[in-house]
Amino acid sequence: MKKIKVGVIGAGGISHSHIEAFRQLPDIEIVAISDPNEAKLAFVAEKFGILKRFSNWEDILKEQIDIISICSPNVFHAQQAMVALNSGKHVICEKPVAMNVEEAEAILETAKRTGNKFMVAFCHRFAPHSQFIKKMVDNGQMGEIYYAKASCLRRRGIPGLGTWFTTKKLAGGGPLIDIGVHILDLAIYFMGCPEPELIIGVTYNKFKNQAVDGGWPPIWSRVGDKPTGTFDVEDLSAGFIKFKDNSTLFLEASWAGNSETGLKIALMGTKAGVQYSTSSHPPLKIYGELNGVVTDTVAEFTSKNVYHAEIEHFVNCVKNNTSWSCSNNLAMAKP
Amino acid sequence: MKKIKVGVIGAGGISHSHIEAFRQLPDIEIVAISDPNEAKLAFVAEKFGILKRFSNWEDILKEQIDIISICSPNVFHAQQAMVALNSGKHVICEKPVAMNVEEAEAILETAKRTGNKFMVAFCHRFAPHSQFIKKMVDNGQMGEIYYAKASCLRRRGIPGLGTWFTTKKLAGGGPLIDIGVHILDLAIYFMGCPEPELIIGVTYNKFKNQAVDGGWPPIWSRVGDKPTGTFDVEDLSAGFIKFKDNSTLFLEASWAGNSETGLKIALMGTKAGVQYSTSSHPPLKIYGELNGVVTDTVAEFTSKNVYHAEIEHFVNCVKNNTSWSCSNNLAMAKP
Amino acid sequence: MKKIKVGVIGAGGISHSHIEAFRQLPDIEIVAISDPNEAKLAFVAEKFGILKRFSNWEDILKEQIDIISICSPNVFHAQQAMVALNSGKHVICEKPVAMNVEEAEAILETAKRTGNKFMVAFCHRFAPHSQFIKKMVDNGQMGEIYYAKASCLRRRGIPGLGTWFTTKKLAGGGPLIDIGVHILDLAIYFMGCPEPELIIGVTYNKFKNQAVDGGWPPIWSRVGDKPTGTFDVEDLSAGFIKFKDNSTLFLEASWAGNSETGLKIALMGTKAGVQYSTSSHPPLKIYGELNGVVTDTVAEFTSKNVYHAEIEHFVNCVKNNTSWSCSNNLAMAKP
Amino acid sequence: MKKIKVGVIGAGGISHSHIEAFRQLPDIEIVAISDPNEAKLAFVAEKFGILKRFSNWEDILKEQIDIISICSPNVFHAQQAMVALNSGKHVICEKPVAMNVEEAEAILETAKRTGNKFMVAFCHRFAPHSQFIKKMVDNGQMGEIYYAKASCLRRRGIPGLGTWFTTKKLAGGGPLIDIGVHILDLAIYFMGCPEPELIIGVTYNKFKNQAVDGGWPPIWSRVGDKPTGTFDVEDLSAGFIKFKDNSTLFLEASWAGNSETGLKIALMGTKAGVQYSTSSHPPLKIYGELNGVVTDTVAEFTSKNVYHAEIEHFVNCVKNNTSWSCSNNLAMAKP
Amino acid sequence: MKKIKVGVIGAGGISHSHIEAFRQLPDIEIVAISDPNEAKLAFVAEKFGILKRFSNWEDILKEQIDIISICSPNVFHAQQAMVALNSGKHVICEKPVAMNVEEAEAILETAKRTGNKFMVAFCHRFAPHSQFIKKMVDNGQMGEIYYAKASCLRRRGIPGLGTWFTTKKLAGGGPLIDIGVHILDLAIYFMGCPEPELIIGVTYNKFKNQAVDGGWPPIWSRVGDKPTGTFDVEDLSAGFIKFKDNSTLFLEASWAGNSETGLKIALMGTKAGVQYSTSSHPPLKIYGELNGVVTDTVAEFTSKNVYHAEIEHFVNCVKNNTSWSCSNNLAMAKP
Amino acid sequence: MKKIKVGVIGAGGISHSHIEAFRQLPDIEIVAISDPNEAKLAFVAEKFGILKRFSNWEDILKEQIDIISICSPNVFHAQQAMVALNSGKHVICEKPVAMNVEEAEAILETAKRTGNKFMVAFCHRFAPHSQFIKKMVDNGQMGEIYYAKASCLRRRGIPGLGTWFTTKKLAGGGPLIDIGVHILDLAIYFMGCPEPELIIGVTYNKFKNQAVDGGWPPIWSRVGDKPTGTFDVEDLSAGFIKFKDNSTLFLEASWAGNSETGLKIALMGTKAGVQYSTSSHPPLKIYGELNGVVTDTVAEFTSKNVYHAEIEHFVNCVKNNTSWSCSNNLAMAKP
C-alpha cells in the first residue's frame, strides 16, 4: 500500500505529540516539517528523523504531501489551513481553530469547497470517558440534558509566560481560547451541538504582576524560544450560555487564581447526571436512579493516549473518506 | 430588668428554631403565637407553653409585645412586617424578605420611617466560618474579591411537596427564593454588598412528574397540614451576576436534580481564595501563598447553633439600639 | 376499629424487639406474655405494661388473642406454633422455624389446614437493601443468578454462652441454625426459592475450651437466667448447595473463629452481580456493565428498623388476609 | 565450574519469565528453544539470543542439555516431561502438571524411576508472604488449620480468548486448571498436604457469548498466533473439598463474572488465622489473640520476582541433589 | 452486709466522676461532702442527693466514714490526706499526690504507720490498653524496655484559666503536674518503676498574654467560681530522665503551644515496641517481629469508664485488705 | 570560560550523588578520583568516564584541581580536608565534618587561614521545605522558636553492616553521627544557630546480636568491599540540649529499634509551629492562628534533587567568592 505522507507546520511542544501519534500508525510517513525558529526546527527534525526542513511554512505546501498537521501559534491557523486545503491537502489543525468567527467560517467554507478533510484537534473527545458519556447521551440513558457546567481552573499554570501564548495578537486570548475551548467543545459535543441564543461573559487579569510560568509546554520543548515578556491576555474568564433548545451551560477557565486546580464537567439530564472531575477518584461518576433508589455509578477506564486516538481517527477519515459527526459545529466551537 | 416580650407569627417548622433560640436568652418572654391552622397552633403552643394563641395574625399585633418573629409563608411577610413595624414592634422576619422588590422596598421604607428594627433571618451569616471569612475580607487578607460562585444543590430535596413551599402564589418561587437566597446573601455580604449591573438567569422544572418530598421541614412539624399537591415553581435555577464594581457571581440552587447534594461558596481574591463546601472535610479551605509557595489552610470551628446566634444578635440590636452592617442591602437581597 | 390482640410467648431478648414493633402500630394491643422464668417475665411485663402474665405458655393460648408471637427457645417452636394455630391464632415465630424438617413440615401442614397465618420472623428480608436486591432480580436486571455466596462470620461472638443457645437439645444447633439461617433464607429468597438437589456440609467446634460469651442477647435482657455452662453445638459450619435449577450456593456461619467478623452476601447474575457486605462502606455494591464498560454502582438507603417492618408486614397480612410470596419455602428454610 | 545447559520447550508468554529468571543465575546457559510457531520461535530466540531453534520439541531433547523448561500448552506437558526425564534431563514444567490424574501419576512414576528432578512451576509458593505463612504453620503459630478458603476471581479476564487457553482439548479446562490450580496448590501446601476424602464441584460458562479477551498473556507475546475462536471450557468453577484429616477447603476460580476481581486465601487455625487478599492493603493479615485480647497483625514484605525465586530453587535442587518438601503431592495437585 | 461509707472533700469537676463511680458499686453509701464554695457544694450535693454538707473539710473527718475521696485543689492534698489517715479513714486522692516530695513522703509515712489504704487516682492505669501493655511487659513479650517517650500536648487547652489551676501557690505547677503526671506515672509503671538517676527539665510560659481557657473542667461544673485571673505557672514543660537501670524517658506536657494536640506513649523494648497515640486509629500499635519479618499489630478494646475501674479497684483493696502493685513508687510519682 | 576542575576522594555510594550533581552544571570538569579499593575505583571511574585514578588520596591533591569533594569514611575527613585546603583547593566534605570537636575546629581554622572555601555537605538544608521553613523563621512568621524536636528513627536500617559504617575507629559513631547529624544541623540552622549550654545524652546498642544490613548505601555501590563484621557503635541515641538563648532541642536517632521509621522535625514558635514528618502526607504542616482561629496550613513543593542544589550552591560560592550563612556553626555541628 502506498504510504500517506504527512507534513507538520510548527515545531513547538504539541508537534511532538502529533508526530509520535502519526508514527504509531502503519502506512504513514512524516516527510517534512517547518518552523521559523531554526533551533527548534533542528531539534524536532533530529529527534524524529524528519528529512525535509523548511523555515517558511509556504514551502512545505509545495511538497508531495497528503496530510498537513498545523501546530503553529493560533494567529496562523486560518491562513495555513486554507492554503493547505486549497493546495489539495487534508488538514488537522490544533485548537483553537482560529482567532475569530470570521476566520473559522472561512476555513469551513474552504474545506467544503475543496472537499478535503479538515479536523480541529480536540483530543479530549477521544478519551475513553468522553466516548462513554457520548454513548450515554446517544442511547438516551441521560434523558434530556438541560443544564451543564464546564470548568478548567489552574491555580498557577500560565503556559509559556511571555511567549506567543500570552500575547494577544498571536494567541487571540488567554485561558478561554487555550483550555476553555477544550471543555466548551466537549460540553456542546455531549449536549448535541445546540445553537447558542444568549452569551454573557467576563474576563480578568489579576496575576499580571505576579505571573509565574506554569511549566507547560514542557521546558525542554522550548528550544530557541526568545520570550518577549508580554502578558496581555486574560488569566480567568467565565461565561453563561443559553442555547436555543433552552439548555444552559456555565463555563469557566483560568490559568491562575486562588482556587483549586482541576478540570470538571457536569451534565444534568432528566434521567441521569454525570460528573467528570480530575480531582475525584475515579474521575467519572454517574448520578442515577434504580428501582426508586438513588444510585452512584463509577466506571474505570484503561488509560489511552488521546493524541494517538485523535490522529488515528483523522487518518481513518482520510483513508475511508468518512466524516466526523457534528463536524461543522466542531470547527465553529469558539469562545 | 423588664422582660422583652416576643410574639411569633406562624407555627411551622422554623418557628421551633426561633422559639428555642429566644428561650436561651435571659430577659425574654414569649407571650403569644398565631397560626390559622388550629392543630399546628396548639402543637407549638403546648410544646413551648405559650399562653396566648391566635388564629389571625392581626390579633397578635394588638398585644403588648416588643418583638415580632415572622415565621409565616413568604406571601405574608411584607404585609405582616409593615403592620408590625407600624404598630411599634421590632421585627425579625424569615427569609426571603418578600415576594418581590417592591414589597421589600416598602418594608425597608417602613422600617426607616418608624425607626423600629427590622432584620431578615439569614442564619448562615452567623456560622463561625462565615464570620471568619468576613474577617478575612475586612482585614484585607483576601485582597480584592473579583470572582465568586455560590451553589446550593440538592439531589432529591423538595421541601413540603404540595404545601405552600411548592405553590408559586404562596412561596413566590422555588429553590432560588428558598435556599438560593441564603447563599446569594452570604456571597454579597462577603463581597462587600456590591450593586448588580447585569443579571441573567434560567429556571427549570424537570422533576414535576417524579417529585418526592425531601423530608424538610421535619414531618413531625407538619401537624394539621393539608397539602394541595401543587408544584408550580422551579426545581433548579442558575444565574450569572455582573456587579458595578466589575466583580462576578455565579449562582445556582436546586431542590432536585441528578447531581451531588451540597452547599458550596467559593471566593477568589487577588491575595487569597476561600472555598466553603459542605461535602469537603473540613469544609473551609483557604487558598493562599506564603513566601512564594502556594499554601492550603484549614480552620476548624467549634459547632454553634446559628439560630441562637442570629436571634441573640437581633435581641442585642433591639436592646442596644444598634444596627447590622450592610443591613439595607441585606433586606434587599432578592432573587 | 376493633384492636388486634397480641400475646407473646417467651420473654428473652428478642421479645423486646417484637413488642416495641407491635407498639408502633395502631389498633394493636399486647394483652399477655408468658415465660417460665418469673424474674424475666416480671421484667418484660413491667417494662411494657403487659397486664396478663403466665408461667405456662399453654395458658396464654386460652386467652382471647388474635396473634401469637413466639419468642421462646427453638425447641418449643413447633409445638407452640401448632397449638396456637389449632386454637385459632395467627402466628409469627422467631427463626429458626423448628428443630428439624419434620417439625417444620408439620407446622406448615397445620397452617394450611387451619387457614391461619404463619410467618417465620426473617427480619433481614425487610431491610431496604434486601428489598432493593429483590426488585433487581424480579425486574430481570441481574439476568440469571447462577452462583451465590452467603457468609456470616463472627470472630468472638458466641451468644448466651452456657444458656439454651449453646445447648443442643434446646437450640438444635449452633451458628448455622442461629445466624446462618438468616443468610440462607435471604439467598434463596433472592434466587427465587430454587429446590436443593445436593447438599454437603461440615461443622467444627474448636473454641469449646476457650469460649467467651459474645454479649448477645443483651446482658440486661438475661434477667433471671441460670446458665448451665453447656456448649455442645458447633462454632463454625459451612456448606455447599447445588440446586435443581443448576445454581449453586456456598454458605458459612460461625460464632467464633480466627477470621474477620461480618455478614456478606454475593450474587452473580449473567447481567449483573451484587455484593452486600457489612464490612464495606457503603455495604451494597452492584457489579454491572454499561455501553461495554464495566461499572460499579452503589445505593445508599435510609436506615429503617427491620423489626418494625417485619411485624407491620405480618399484621397487614392478618388484616388483609394476604400471603407472603414464597412463604412455603420460607418456612422450610432449614439448616 | 561447568555451565548448566537449559532448553526451553514452548515460546509463549510464560517462556519469557522462565528465560529471564535463568539468565539471572550464574553458571547457566540457555542453549536451545523449540516452538512449532516459527514467528514466535524467532521472536523469543532473537530477544534472548538463543542460538539453537527447533520446530519439533523432540529435537531439542537430542541436545546436550541438563534442564528442560516446559512452557508449552497443557496438552503436551505429560508427554514432553516423560520423554525429557527418560532422556536424562531434569524438568521444570509449567502448571498445570497435566491434563488429568493418570498423566500426572505417570510423570511422577517416571521421575522416581529415572531419579531426575521434576518440579511443577508453582511460582506463588515462592512469594515472601507464602513463605511467611508456611513458617507460621510449621512453627505451630496457627495451631490446627481446619477450615480454608481459596478464591481467584476475575471480572473480565479470559486469557488468550480463542487460542489454546480456551480450547478444551488443548488446555484441559478453564479457570480452575489455569489459575485455580495455583491457589489450590497453595492452600494444600499450607494445610500440610492432606488427602482429599470428598470433593464436590460445579462449573459454569455464562460469558461464552459476551467473552472479551483479558489481555493475558501479554499481547506482544502472541506473535504469530492464529486464534481459532474456540471457547469450550468453563468461565467459573467452584468446589468444596473435605480432607481425610477432617479439614475443609472451599475453592473458586473464574475468568469472567459480575464480581470483584482478586485473589484471596483465608486459613482458619485454632490459634490464629491468616488472610491474604490482593484487594486489601497490605494484603496479608493475621487474626490472633494476645493476652486475652484479639489482635490484627500485618507484615509487609519487600517485593520479589517469584519466577526468579522459583527457577533459582529448582536449579539449586539440581545442583545439590535436594528435593522440594511435599513434592509428590505437589505434582498431584489437580483440579 | 454493712455499707461502706464515703465522704468527698471538694466539689469541683472531678468530684462528679468520683461520685458517679462510687454509685455504680453495691454496698457503698456517699454520706457527706465538703467545699468552701457554697454554691458549688449545693450544686453537687443536690445533684447526687448527698445529705451532709460541710464548708470546712475538717468537719467531714469527724463523721463515721470509711473512705475519703480527696478532690480538692493540689495545695490541700497532703494535709487532708494525713489528717484523714490519722483519723482512721482510707484515702483515695486525686493526682498530683502533693505539692512536693516532702509532702508526698509524709503521706506515705502516715499511710504505712496507720495501716490505712492510700491510693493516688491515676485513672489512665485502668484503661484496657494500659492493662494490656502492662501484661505484655510482665509476660516478657517486649523484652527489656530501654527507651521511652511520653507526651501530652495541647494546642489551646489551659484548664480553668485564672482559677486555682493556673495559680502556682494553689496548684504547684502547670501542665507537668496536671497532665504530665499521668503519663509520667504510666511510663514508669510500664517500665517497672525504675529509680531515677539524673533528671533535666525545662519550662516555658509563652501564652501568658494570649491565654484562652480550654473549657476544662466543664464550664457547668464551675458553679460559684470567682476566677482571680492569675496565670503564673508554665504552659509547656519537657524533661529527660535517665534511670538507674540505664533506661531513659523523654517527657513533655503542654497546655498551649503551636503543635498538634494529643497524648502519646512510646516504649521501645528489645523484643517489641508499643505506641499508644490518641491521634492514631486505632491508638495502640505493637512493633514486633515474627519469623524474621517485621510486624505491626493492633488490638482494639471495648470502651470502659476508667473512673469506675479505678474506684472499684480501690474499694476492693479496702474490702479485701490488698495492695496495689508498685504502690510506694506510685505515690512518689512526681514531676 | 575556563572550566572548574573537580577531584573526588572516595568512590563509595555517596560519590555517585556528588559526581552526578557536578555533571549537571556547566563549566565543570571532573578530572580525578581516588580510592584504595581498586575494584570500586574502577567501577566509578568507568561509570562516569573519569580519566585519572589514584589509590592514594594524597596523589589527587597534586593535580591541577579547583574543588575537592571528600566522600571517604569519616576518619579521613579532617586530614584530607586540611591537606586539600592547604594545597589551595576548595573543599566540600561529606557529613559528619570530622570525628570530634578538635578535628572540626582545626579544619575551620585551616579554612579561615587559607581563605579557601569549605562546606559540609548537609543536603537536607537544600530541600525546598527546608528553605521554606528557614524563610518563615527569617521573616518572623514563627515568632520566637523556643522548643524543638528532631527525630530520625529507623526500624531496621543499619547501613553497611560490618563495614566502616559500623566500626567505631573508622566512623566515630553510629546513627547519631551518621543521620542524627543531618537533623541536628537542620534544627539549629532553623533556630538561628544558638550556642549550647547544657547537653545530656544516651546511647544504646540492643541489636548487636540481631543486626540486619539495611540496604544502604546501595548494594550495587559496594563493589570490592570486604566487610569485617564489626559493629561496635550505638544503634540508638537520644539527647536533650538546652541552649544559651533558653531554647531547647530534643534529638533522637536510630538505625534499629522497635518503633516507626521516619524523619521528623517539630519547631514551636510563639506565633506559629511547623512539623515536617516523612510519615505524614503532605509532610510539612504549619500550626498557626488567623483572626483568632487556630489554623493548619500545608504547602506542597515540587520535588528537587537536593544533591544538585547543594553542589550548585557550593560551586556558586566558589565562583562568586561568597559564603554560606551560619557557616562557622555549621562546620561545628557535632554530636
Side-chain angles (χ1 to χ4, degrees), chain D residues 62-107:
Chain D
K62 298 171 191 157
E63 296 292 312
Q64 276 287 27
I65 277 173
D66 303 294
I67 290 175
I68 285 291
S69 160
I70 299 180
C71 296
S72 55
N74 306 345
V75 70
F76 304 113
H77 289 184
Q79 191 189 0
Q80 292 170 344
M82 288 188 286
V83 175
L85 288 166
N86 281 326
S87 64
K89 273 74 175 163
H90 302 290
V91 174
I92 178 165
C93 178
E94 259 307 311
K95 35 60 57 182
V97 61
M99 299 287 274
N100 52 50
V101 179
E102 291 69 29
E103 286 187 2
E105 285 175 340
I107 297 174

Side-chain angles (χ1 to χ4, degrees), chain A residues 33-228:
Chain A
I33 185 166
S34 76
D35 201 291
N37 177 331
E38 299 253 331
K40 196 173 281 189
L41 179 63
F43 173 58
V44 175
E46 290 298 324
K47 177 174 171 188
F48 295 107
I50 304 172
L51 295 181
K52 298 192 181 167
R53 305 161 190 191
F54 303 96
S55 294
N56 296 315
W57 61 266
E58 289 90 346
D59 294 339
I60 207 172
L61 296 179
K62 298 171 190 157
E63 297 292 311
Q64 277 286 28
I65 277 173
D66 303 294
I67 289 174
I68 286 291
S69 159
I70 299 180
C71 297
S72 56
N74 305 345
V75 71
F76 304 113
H77 289 183
Q79 191 188 0
Q80 292 169 346
M82 288 188 286
V83 175
L85 288 166
N86 282 326
S87 65
K89 273 74 174 162
H90 303 289
V91 174
I92 178 165
C93 178
E94 258 309 308
K95 33 62 52 183
V97 61
M99 299 287 277
N100 51 51
V101 179
E102 291 69 28
E103 285 187 3
E105 285 174 340
I107 297 174
L108 268 193
E109 184 278 327
T110 308
K112 281 180 190 157
R113 182 171 41 74
T114 61
N116 293 320
K117 301 292 174 202
F118 178 79
M119 187 173 106
V120 184
F122 281 122
C123 56
H124 286 238
R125 284 198 185 197
F126 296 89
H129 60 265
S130 299
Q131 291 300 311
F132 178 82
I133 295 172
K134 181 64 173 160
K135 271 188 203 154
M136 284 195 66
V137 175
D138 290 350
N139 294 347
Q141 290 154 344
M142 297 194 61
E144 175 200 349
I145 298 177
Y146 57 99
Y147 184 60
K149 290 175 283 184
S151 172
C152 189
L153 301 180
R154 291 183 187 164
R155 196 156 169 185
R156 300 286 184 271
I158 301 172
L161 181 61
T163 69
W164 70 264
F165 278 94
T166 55
T167 304
K168 191 169 182 65
K169 70 177 183 212
L170 298 175
L176 182 54
I177 207 171
D178 180 43
I179 53 180
V181 75
H182 273 302
I183 54 173
L184 173 60
D185 173 69
L186 266 188
I188 61 180
Y189 173 56
F190 294 144
M191 296 171 88
C193 302
E195 289 218 31
E197 185 179 76
L198 175 63
I199 301 183
I200 178 172
V202 293
T203 60
Y204 297 97
N205 184 334
K206 298 295 184 185
F207 282 76
K208 193 184 286 281
N209 299 323
Q210 56 189 111
V212 180
D213 187 276
W216 179 263
I219 302 301
W220 55 257
S221 75
R222 302 191 192 174
V223 178
D225 275 355
K226 298 198 182 68
T228 62

Side-chain angles (χ1 to χ4, degrees), chain E residues 313-329:
Chain E
H313 175 81
F314 181 66
V315 169
N316 285 338
C317 286
V318 168
K319 277 185 176 169
N320 309 324
N321 194 22
T322 51
S323 284
W324 174 247
S325 68
C326 181
S327 60
N328 284 8
N329 289 67

Side-chain angles (χ1 to χ4, degrees), chain D residues 65-234:
Chain D
I65 277 173
D66 303 294
I67 290 175
I68 285 291
S69 160
I70 299 180
C71 296
S72 55
N74 306 345
V75 70
F76 304 113
H77 289 184
Q79 191 189 0
Q80 292 170 344
M82 288 188 286
V83 175
L85 288 166
N86 281 326
S87 64
K89 273 74 175 163
H90 302 290
V91 174
I92 178 165
C93 178
E94 259 307 311
K95 35 60 57 182
V97 61
M99 299 287 274
N100 52 50
V101 179
E102 291 69 29
E103 286 187 2
E105 285 175 340
I107 297 174
L108 268 193
E109 185 277 330
T110 309
K112 280 181 192 159
R113 185 171 39 74
T114 61
N116 293 319
K117 301 291 174 202
F118 177 79
M119 188 174 105
V120 184
F122 282 121
C123 56
H124 286 238
R125 285 198 185 196
F126 296 89
H129 60 265
S130 297
Q131 292 300 312
F132 178 81
I133 294 172
K134 181 64 174 161
K135 271 189 205 152
M136 285 195 67
V137 175
D138 290 349
N139 294 347
Q141 290 154 345
M142 298 193 63
E144 176 200 349
I145 298 177
Y146 56 100
Y147 184 61
K149 288 175 283 182
S151 171
C152 190
L153 300 180
R154 292 183 186 163
R155 195 156 169 186
R156 299 287 184 271
I158 301 171
L161 181 61
T163 69
W164 70 264
F165 278 94
T166 55
T167 304
K168 191 168 182 66
K169 70 177 181 208
L170 297 175
L176 182 55
I177 207 171
D178 180 44
I179 53 179
V181 75
H182 272 304
I183 53 172
L184 172 61
D185 174 68
L186 267 187
I188 61 178
Y189 172 56
F190 294 146
M191 295 171 89
C193 303
E195 289 217 30
E197 186 178 75
L198 174 64
I199 300 182
I200 178 173
V202 293
T203 61
Y204 297 97
N205 184 334
K206 299 295 184 183
F207 282 75
K208 194 183 285 281
N209 299 323
Q210 57 189 110
V212 180
D213 186 276
W216 180 264
I219 304 300
W220 55 258
S221 74
R222 303 191 193 174
V223 178
D225 275 355
K226 299 197 182 71
T228 62
T230 304
F231 181 15
D232 61 358
V233 294
E234 89 274 13

Side-chain angles (χ1 to χ4, degrees), chain C residues 90-318:
Chain C
H90 302 289
V91 174
I92 178 165
C93 178
E94 259 308 309
K95 37 60 55 181
V97 61
M99 299 287 276
N100 50 52
V101 179
E102 292 67 30
E103 286 186 3
E105 285 175 339
I107 298 173
L108 269 193
E109 185 277 329
T110 310
K112 282 181 191 158
R113 182 171 42 74
T114 61
N116 293 320
K117 301 292 174 202
F118 178 78
M119 187 173 106
V120 184
F122 282 121
C123 57
H124 286 239
R125 285 198 184 196
F126 296 89
H129 61 265
S130 298
Q131 291 300 311
F132 179 81
I133 295 172
K134 182 65 174 161
K135 271 188 203 154
M136 284 195 67
V137 175
D138 290 349
N139 293 348
Q141 290 154 344
M142 297 193 62
E144 174 201 349
I145 298 176
Y146 56 99
Y147 183 62
K149 286 175 285 182
S151 171
C152 190
L153 300 181
R154 291 182 186 164
R155 195 156 169 185
R156 299 286 184 272
I158 301 172
L161 181 61
T163 69
W164 70 265
F165 278 94
T166 56
T167 304
K168 191 167 181 65
K169 69 178 186 214
L170 297 175
L176 182 55
I177 207 171
D178 180 43
I179 54 180
V181 76
H182 273 303
I183 54 173
L184 173 61
D185 174 67
L186 267 187
I188 61 179
Y189 173 56
F190 294 146
M191 296 171 88
C193 302
E195 289 218 29
E197 185 179 75
L198 175 64
I199 300 182
I200 178 174
V202 293
T203 61
Y204 297 98
N205 185 334
K206 298 295 183 183
F207 282 75
K208 193 183 286 281
N209 300 322
Q210 58 189 111
V212 180
D213 187 276
W216 179 263
I219 302 301
W220 55 257
S221 74
R222 302 192 192 172
V223 178
D225 275 353
K226 298 196 183 68
T228 62
T230 305
F231 181 15
D232 61 358
V233 294
E234 90 274 13
D235 55 30
L236 180 151
S237 56
F240 194 88
I241 307 174
K242 185 90 183 294
F243 294 100
K244 287 184 181 159
D245 66 357
N246 207 32
S247 60
T248 301
L249 173 64
F250 168 69
L251 178 75
E252 60 182 353
S254 72
W255 278 347
N258 289 311
S259 73
E260 277 187 297
T261 285
L263 184 157
K264 178 146 78 171
I265 293 190
L267 304 172
M268 287 169 70
T270 50
K271 288 193 186 161
V274 300
Q275 184 184 284
Y276 176 79
S277 165
T278 53
S279 55
S280 300
H281 180 75
L284 186 67
K285 196 173 184 181
I286 304 163
Y287 301 93
E289 192 173 320
L290 186 62
N291 301 329
V293 175
V294 156
T295 55
D296 290 352
T297 297
V298 298
E300 293 202 48
F301 304 93
T302 48
S303 69
K304 190 173 155 184
N305 185 310
V306 292
Y307 298 114
H308 291 188
E310 167 193 87
I311 296 290
E312 183 176 21
H313 175 82
F314 181 66
V315 168
N316 285 339
C317 285
V318 167

Side-chain angles (χ1 to χ4, degrees), chain E residues 267-327:
Chain E
L267 304 172
M268 287 169 70
T270 48
K271 288 193 186 160
V274 300
Q275 184 184 283
Y276 177 80
S277 165
T278 53
S279 56
S280 300
H281 180 75
L284 184 68
K285 197 173 183 181
I286 304 162
Y287 300 95
E289 191 174 320
L290 185 61
N291 301 330
V293 174
V294 157
T295 56
D296 289 354
T297 297
V298 299
E300 291 202 49
F301 304 92
T302 48
S303 70
K304 191 173 156 185
N305 186 308
V306 292
Y307 297 115
H308 291 189
E310 167 193 87
I311 296 290
E312 183 176 20
H313 175 81
F314 181 66
V315 169
N316 285 338
C317 286
V318 168
K319 277 185 176 169
N320 309 324
N321 194 22
T322 51
S323 284
W324 174 247
S325 68
C326 181
S327 60

